[in-house]
């Protein structure tokens, strides 16, 4: 895993209700595009994500445009709704996150093949009058999303090669 490159832009020329913040993080990975894509689109296992703790997506659901699901965050104790906007398999996943009125968040994951693996790009766009406040809360976590995604995908690839590809099963209190 190589260090990430980051860029940001805050557009203050718009009115406060229409201001937007854009931040992009990129990480180079030795994992394949397939491994990274599998990790991104496994919406049932978001344990690698520093902002999300869980989702209500059933196992085996294929990510496609129009899918709406709930996610629970590590930062605030309320569920957020996530709407899948665009999907280009093994290239791009774009979602819109509906947190609260006055705040609109769009997240885009892009995966590109490189000579020694792949490059993951994680972009966050915040719009609305609450975006500066919300950004101050999520900035440290958002900076880690791409790197933790890469670490998880690389670890899964290493386990698959070593023959230990079993994931721990999440059990409820009534499972014996």
């Amino acid at each position: 895993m190589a260090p990430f490159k980051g860029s940001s832009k805050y557009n203050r020329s718009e009115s406060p209700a229409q201001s937007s913040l854009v931040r992009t993080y990129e990480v180079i990975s030795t994992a394949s595009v397939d491994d990274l894509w599998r990790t991104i689109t496994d919406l049932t296992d978001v344990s690698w994500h520093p902002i999300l703790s869980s989702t209500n997506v059933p196992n085996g659901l294929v990510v496609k445009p129009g899918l709406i699901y709930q996610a629970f965050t590590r930062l605030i104790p309320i569920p957020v709704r996530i709407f899948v906007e665009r999907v280009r398999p093994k290239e791009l996943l774009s979602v819109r996150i509906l947190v609260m009125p006055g705040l609109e968040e769009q997240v885009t994951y892009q995966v590109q093949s490189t000579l020694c693996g792949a490059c993951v790009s994680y972009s966050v766009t915040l719009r609305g009058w609450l975006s500066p406040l919300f950004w101050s809360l999520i900035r440290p976590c958002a900076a880690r999303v791409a790197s933790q995604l890469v670490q998880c995908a690389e670890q899964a690839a290493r386990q698959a090669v070593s023959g230990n590809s079993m994931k721990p099963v999440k059990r409820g209190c009534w499972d014996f």
Side-chain angles (χ1 to χ4, degrees):
M1 177 179 72
F4 70 86
K5 300 182 286 183
S7 63
S8 67
K9 178 176 79 169
Y10 185 68
N11 189 353
R12 290 186 185 263
S13 63
E14 302 171 1
S15 69
Q18 305 242 334
S19 63
S20 64
L21 176 118
V22 179
R23 180 74 184 186
T24 300
Y25 300 92
E26 291 182 346
V27 178
I28 303 296
S29 172
T30 57
S32 70
V33 168
D34 291 334
D35 292 334
L36 289 164
W37 186 253
R38 195 173 10 260
T39 303
I40 291 169
T41 59
D42 183 3
L43 301 177
T44 58
D45 180 15
V46 290
S47 60
W48 57 269
H49 203 289
I51 298 172
L52 301 179
S53 62
S54 64
T55 67
N56 69 346
V57 177
N59 282 333
L61 188 67
V62 177
V63 177
K64 59 185 176 184
L67 175 66
I68 298 174
Y69 61 97
Q70 279 190 337
F72 300 90
T73 68
R74 299 177 199 277
L75 304 173
I76 54 176
I78 60 171
V80 295
R81 295 186 66 130
I82 300 178
F83 173 73
V84 177
E85 293 183 313
R86 292 182 292 155
V87 177
R88 285 196 313 251
K90 299 182 184 178
E91 288 181 32
L92 178 130
L93 172 65
S94 177
V95 298
R96 191 159 309 263
I97 303 169
L98 309 169
V99 181
M100 63 187 71
L103 179 64
E104 179 182 318
E105 181 178 5
Q106 182 181 17
V107 171
T108 304
Y109 297 91
Q110 286 186 290
V111 182
Q112 297 174 337
S113 182
T114 64
L115 290 175
C116 61
C119 175
V120 173
S121 173
Y122 171 75
S123 297
V124 179
T125 303
L126 294 174
R127 291 183 191 92
W129 64 275
L130 286 174
S131 61
L133 175 64
F134 190 68
W135 181 245
S136 68
L137 295 173
I138 69 164
R139 180 186 314 144
C141 296
R144 296 190 333 253
V145 171
S147 60
Q148 287 191 231
L149 166 66
V150 164
Q151 287 175 353
C152 183
E154 288 175 350
Q155 181 181 3
R158 281 192 299 272
Q159 287 177 345
V161 168
S162 69
N164 184 12
S165 62
M166 297 284 294
K167 280 204 267 187
V169 177
K170 295 180 185 175
R171 295 189 177 262
C173 62
W174 298 106
D175 293 338
F176 298 100

